Amino acid sequence: MAEKTSRSSDDGVGSGSARLAAEPHAPVILSNEPGSFAWGVLAKRHPALIQQVRDAFPYGPRQHEALDALLDEITNGVIEPLAPSEPDHGQWSAWGRKHFGRSWFDAPFLWAESYFYRRLLGATEYFGTSPWQGVDPFAPFKRAELRGTAVDEELRALDALADAPADERATALLHASLWGNRADLGFRVTEGDAAPGAIADGLVADDSAVLWQLLPAGAGATVAVVADNAGRELTPDLILIDHLLLHRHAERIVLHVKPYPYYVSDAMTADVVDCLRRLAEAPGEAGGIGGRLWDATATGRLEIRAHPFFCAPLPYKDMPEDLREEFAAVTLTILKGDLNYRRLVGDRLWDATTPFADCTTYFPGAVAAFRTLKSDIIVGLEQKALDALEQSGAAWRTSGTHALIQVRP
């Protein structure tokens, strides 16, 4: 049986298609129902993560006290605002004015998760002027994963694809990027590392044919890729980017990453550099890919950007105008991962058969979502497929064993 999800109907859906206008009360997900997926993140994953971060660095008494205070607040207290001395105090005061003074479990799940990570960075003095300024509290976890033997095996597997037909190679690299989304360190804090089933069984929606129609070879496309996790997810993303550039499915790719640490394993510029070095230093096909990507950054065919909106607790319908203009100017925007999906369609308990296109009408250009399912949100399913999934008895929405590729031209 699918896991239960808390809900609230006090926030209506904004402007959109006729379908969405007729369904204005898709409930915003909260975390206040014990046993729900959202509750588990706040009640179990976040406390475990605080302990992991505390143990990973030789922090001093000040950081330990701040981490202990944050743990007590999220489990027993109410949401407190940032201190006035924090550089983004004004912005978070505006975003959180409806939520301060409430239980963390009664705030919208998307907002509460995002604010937790901002508070965790504050406790470790990431934004301060102490010697801990700019030290990524999640870096040890990212680096350990990137240096692991699993990555060695994945890179060696590229050699077997080197002589494969172009369409076979393209499909394999697309699926590697898709399933790489399972490489989420925050997810594995509490959920373990469940293996996906066969590709044919694990994909609940597959618009990959539409994707390739939008990116024919030699069309001179510019593609935006909004990254999700570092390490074992970002590496296959970069390999797919190399394929798009090498075979002229794109002439230029803009890779959007986070401007600061977020959601444990989310990718920043430093993580892109680490992955590029890992590729470039590898033998065989992987080394060639790393070298080409390194050169692509030098020529501008691959550009890295880090807009502050990517660390905001907001859906993409509220993106700022400059980012909207960027997405409008490209041939296709590819959004990787579960969080980007939640922000794209809205972190609400939609009817799973609500068309993906209806939830993304506001997006300023063609958009694709590559996502391994690790939270309750899902749209765009056929009724027959949904019935089979619900009858399976598995927690298919949240276990990381299913995935989707959805495209709105």
Side-chain angles (χ1 to χ4, degrees):
M1 182 179 295
E3 297 183 49
K4 297 184 292 181
T5 305
S6 294
R7 54 181 75 186
S8 167
S9 58
D10 60 354
D11 289 323
V13 176
S15 60
S17 69
R19 170 67 181 263
L20 293 187
E23 191 179 34
H25 298 301
V28 173
I29 292 183
L30 308 181
S31 308
N32 57 8
E33 183 176 335
S36 69
F37 176 79
W39 177 87
V41 170
L42 266 65
K44 297 180 180 179
R45 185 182 301 179
H46 288 178
L49 181 58
I50 288 174
Q51 187 61 50
Q52 286 188 348
V53 168
R54 180 187 176 116
D55 293 342
F57 286 93
Y59 289 127
R62 192 169 58 245
Q63 289 85 19
H64 284 174
E65 290 172 5
L67 289 169
D68 291 343
L70 177 60
L71 176 60
D72 183 64
E73 180 183 321
I74 65 174
T75 54
N76 303 311
V78 297
I79 303 170
E80 301 289 350
L82 294 179
S85 59
E86 294 286 347
D88 50 354
H89 167 77
Q91 184 66 81
W92 276 101
S93 292
W95 288 335
R97 62 183 182 276
K98 295 181 180 179
H99 312 310
F100 296 132
R102 301 166 66 180
S103 165
W104 281 80
F105 294 88
D106 291 334
F109 179 41
L110 176 64
W111 188 94
E113 256 197 306
S114 296
Y115 190 53
F116 166 78
Y117 283 100
R118 174 58 187 86
R119 291 288 304 280
L120 184 62
L121 292 180
T124 61
E125 300 183 0
Y126 181 88
F127 295 111
T129 58
S130 80
W132 294 101
Q133 181 183 16
V135 176
D136 181 356
F138 313 128
F141 318 135
K142 297 177 184 177
R143 290 170 184 159
E145 181 190 64
L146 190 58
R147 294 169 182 164
T149 57
V151 175
D152 291 330
E153 295 171 4
E154 290 159 0
L155 296 184
R156 281 195 296 268
L158 293 169
D159 294 337
L161 280 175
D163 298 323
D167 57 346
E168 180 181 325
R169 181 179 174 86
T171 298
L173 296 181
L174 184 67
H175 285 159
S177 175
L178 171 66
W179 286 107
N181 180 231
R182 292 174 59 253
D184 178 339
L185 297 171
F187 179 72
R188 296 208 300 270
V189 165
T190 53
E191 303 300 325
D193 196 13
I199 291 292
D201 296 330
L203 280 175
V204 300
D206 184 6
D207 293 339
S208 54
V210 180
L211 176 84
W212 294 119
Q213 289 171 7
L214 288 170
L215 300 176
T222 297
V223 176
V225 177
V226 183
D228 188 38
N229 297 306
R232 285 181 65 195
E233 178 176 359
L234 184 58
T235 301
D237 290 347
L238 289 168
I239 293 168
L240 178 61
I241 286 171
D242 171 71
H243 180 87
L244 295 178
L245 292 172
L246 183 65
H247 293 273
R248 300 290 176 177
H249 293 287
E251 291 299 318
R252 179 170 171 269
I253 292 181
V254 179
L255 178 61
H256 295 272
V257 296
K258 302 297 192 298
Y260 53 80
Y262 199 57
Y263 279 64
V264 190
S265 54
D266 282 21
M268 303 187 299
T269 302
D271 302 309
V272 177
V273 174
D274 286 344
C275 286
L276 289 177
R277 285 184 174 142
R278 184 74 160 88
L279 285 166
E281 293 168 359
E285 183 70 8
I289 292 170
R292 286 195 298 268
L293 289 171
W294 200 281
D295 292 341
T297 62
T299 61
R301 296 190 70 207
L302 174 59
E303 180 180 351
I304 303 167
R305 296 185 187 172
H307 196 287
F309 180 76
F310 293 119
C311 289
L314 304 172
Y316 277 106
K317 69 180 180 62
D318 294 333
M319 74 180 84
E321 189 59 31
D322 62 338
L323 192 57
R324 181 177 297 274
E325 291 173 358
E326 284 198 44
F327 290 149
V330 302
T331 307
L332 175 68
T333 297
I334 298 173
L335 298 173
K336 283 297 310 293
D338 203 76
L339 176 60
N340 276 322
Y341 191 85
R342 291 163 59 193
R343 298 181 72 186
L344 176 65
V345 304
D347 204 37
R348 296 170 175 270
L349 199 64
W350 295 109
D351 180 329
T353 63
T354 303
F356 177 72
D358 285 359
C359 293
T360 57
T361 52
Y362 70 88
F363 202 86
V367 62
F370 294 6
R371 174 210 181 197
T372 301
L373 276 58
K374 294 178 292 191
S375 66
D376 292 290
I377 307 303
I378 186 73
V379 298
L381 297 190
E382 298 292 335
Q383 187 64 56
K384 183 178 179 181
L386 176 62
D387 291 343
L389 289 164
E390 293 291 354
Q391 292 167 11
S392 71
W396 60 273
R397 292 177 183 250
T398 59
S399 61
T401 56
H402 293 74
L404 59 80
I405 299 171
Q406 292 177 323
V407 182
R408 194 220 68 202

